[in-house]
Amino acid sequence: MAATLCSKLLPKQGWLPLTQSVRHGSKAVTRHRKPLHIQKQKLLAVTQYIPPAREFPPGAYPSQTKHVQEDNDLTLLMKRELKKLFEDCKMIAVVQNSSSSAEDMMTLRHRLYKHNITVKFFPNKVVRSFLSDSIYCNMGLLFVGPTVMFVSKEPKVKEMLTTLRGSPQMTLLGACIDNTLLSAQGIVSYSKLPSMTVIQGEVVSGLSMLTSHTAYLLQRHPAHLSQLLQQYIKQQSSDGSAEAAPKAEEAT
């Protein structure tokens, strides 16, 4: 019965919806701001508020002008001593002192003094101020914390390293040897090099060997030539005597 009722209510062409959606084209957007007139732009630019520069209270920031502080007499005296030290000594080592007692330091100084190595104490501020105006300016980075200097007129590197092995609280940071800045590893490598006497002996032996070899080569050819000439003369004399003997027999 429901089927027959629905067939009577619906038209023969089929069921049609009551509302239909119709798609329209995109609408024009009218929300863009209109460009300002050129005169209004100029007026706004001229009348724009510029806030004044903020003034900071005095002392809030460090001053840009550097205050040069003059050295006192004690500082000048230590700088002159450092200058003389760098001019006279060929080895200047920087060692960090890690809580070494006075007794250990006295023992270390006595051991180093046996090898003509002296221990010097200077304030790090004075040393850095002196090195900043010298050719050893890169050495100033080593003077941080409690440091001491081992100086000697000759590069006694092996003796210094041997002595430092008995003092574990002393750490070698670097050194200036023969106007060359070396690190701790560079000092160890330098200690493995042969001494200057050995190197000079090797150079002299090499030069003498070359000289003797050159003299041998220069004397070899004349000696060989003289031997050949002597042998040729002997051969000529033996041939002449052999030819003269048959002629004498024929004559008799």
Side-chain angles (χ1 to χ4, degrees), residues 26-233:
S26 59
K27 297 182 180 179
V29 180
T30 58
R31 295 184 180 180
H32 294 296
R33 292 184 179 180
K34 295 181 180 180
L36 298 177
H37 196 267
I38 184 64
Q39 293 183 357
K40 189 173 183 180
Q41 292 180 9
K42 292 180 179 180
L43 182 63
L44 290 175
V46 171
T47 58
Q48 185 179 5
Y49 174 73
I50 300 177
R54 184 179 178 183
E55 296 182 359
F56 297 98
Y61 291 94
S63 60
Q64 297 180 358
T65 58
K66 295 183 179 180
H67 298 282
V68 180
Q69 184 177 3
E70 296 182 357
D71 298 330
N72 52 17
D73 296 337
L74 180 60
T75 303
L76 294 175
L77 179 63
M78 287 189 290
K79 285 186 176 181
R80 285 197 295 268
E81 188 176 354
L82 282 170
K83 182 179 180 180
K84 184 179 179 182
L85 198 69
F86 275 86
E87 290 177 354
D88 298 340
C89 299
K90 293 184 179 180
M91 186 188 75
I92 301 174
V94 183
V95 184
Q96 186 177 14
N97 183 10
S98 301
S99 66
S100 178
S101 61
E103 184 178 359
D104 296 338
M105 181 59 67
M106 186 64 66
T107 305
L108 179 62
R109 295 182 67 175
H110 179 67
R111 291 177 180 176
L112 291 172
Y113 188 75
K114 292 180 180 179
H115 305 290
N116 296 326
I117 302 176
T118 311
V119 181
K120 296 290 185 179
F121 297 90
F122 290 97
N124 292 339
K125 184 178 180 181
V126 177
V127 177
R128 287 196 296 266
S129 177
F130 166 75
L131 293 176
S132 61
D133 299 332
S134 65
I135 60 176
Y136 311 101
C137 56
N138 294 331
M139 198 175 178
L141 301 176
L142 301 177
F143 292 91
V144 178
T147 55
V148 295
M149 298 171 62
F150 295 167
V151 298
S152 64
K153 294 185 178 180
E154 297 295 331
K156 303 291 186 65
V157 180
K158 292 183 180 179
E159 293 81 357
M160 181 185 65
L161 293 177
T162 305
T163 308
L164 284 176
R165 290 173 186 171
S167 302
Q169 66 274 14
M170 306 296 288
T171 305
L172 183 63
L173 301 179
C176 178
I177 301 175
D178 291 332
N179 294 329
T180 304
L181 184 60
L182 299 176
S183 62
Q185 186 62 33
I187 297 171
V188 175
S189 302
Y190 183 88
S191 64
K192 297 178 182 179
L193 296 175
S195 62
M196 188 61 67
T197 307
V198 176
I199 295 175
Q200 289 176 356
E202 292 178 355
V203 172
V204 170
S205 62
L207 292 176
S208 61
M209 185 181 297
L210 291 174
T211 306
S212 60
H213 186 64
T214 304
Y216 170 73
L217 292 177
L218 292 174
Q219 295 176 2
R220 178 184 177 183
H221 297 288
H224 186 60
L225 180 60
S226 63
Q227 290 177 2
L228 292 176
L229 291 175
Q230 290 176 4
Q231 186 177 1
Y232 178 74
I233 292 170

